[in-house]
């Protein structure tokens, strides 16, 4: 028996309250699947765009970003300077 036939058989014997929950769950799953597909498409597009990027295309993109807009640049720089530390490398594991 095919899955749709089995579902129809179960639907016919289920109470309305359960059918409401089932319908809501099915709609949720379909929405989630659409979101996953959209995300996958966006990732694939981003990867393809990155692969096709050249130095000049990246420079052109930088022109569209604009300049710093805000009054917290000094504060951000102070935070970066205050939180950085001297790098230490262990010969066994350079990332320790």
């Amino acid at each position: 028996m095919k899955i749709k036939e089995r579902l129809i058989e179960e639907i016919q014997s289920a109470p309305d309250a359960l059918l409401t929950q089932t319908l809501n769950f099915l709609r949720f799953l379909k929405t989630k699947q659409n979101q996953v597909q959209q995300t996958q498409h966006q990732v694939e597009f981003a990867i393809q765009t990155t692969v096709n990027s050249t130095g000049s295309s990246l420079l052109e993109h930088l022109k569209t970003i604009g300049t710093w807009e805000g009054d917290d640049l000094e504060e951000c720089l102070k935070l970066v300077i205050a939180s950085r530390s001297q790098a230490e490398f262990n010969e066994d594991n350079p990332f320790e």
Side-chain angles (χ1 to χ4, degrees):
M1 189 180 294
K2 292 182 181 180
I3 189 73
K4 284 186 181 182
E5 293 170 346
R6 289 172 53 198
L7 280 170
I8 291 170
E9 187 177 288
E10 291 295 328
I11 287 169
Q12 289 173 344
S13 64
D16 284 345
L18 185 57
L19 291 176
T20 300
Q21 290 178 342
T22 305
L23 178 61
N24 289 338
F25 184 64
L26 181 58
R27 287 178 176 165
F28 162 76
L29 290 175
K30 288 173 69 176
T31 301
K32 184 177 177 182
Q33 182 181 26
N34 287 339
Q35 290 172 344
V36 167
Q37 289 173 344
Q38 288 176 351
T39 301
Q40 287 174 339
H41 177 70
Q42 291 170 344
V43 168
E44 289 169 3
F45 178 77
I47 290 171
Q48 187 61 34
T49 302
T50 303
V51 168
N52 292 334
S53 294
T54 62
S56 59
S57 69
L58 292 173
L59 290 173
E60 286 299 314
H61 177 66
L62 286 175
K63 292 178 185 177
T64 66
I65 293 175
T67 58
W68 182 271
E69 293 181 20
D71 58 358
D72 62 342
L73 178 60
E74 289 293 325
E75 182 182 337
C76 290
L77 288 174
K78 287 178 185 176
L79 178 63
V80 169
I81 292 168
S83 63
R84 65 183 179 177
S85 63
Q86 185 71 30
E88 294 181 21
F89 296 97
N90 180 325
E91 290 183 23
D92 297 330
N93 183 355
F95 300 105
E96 284 186 343

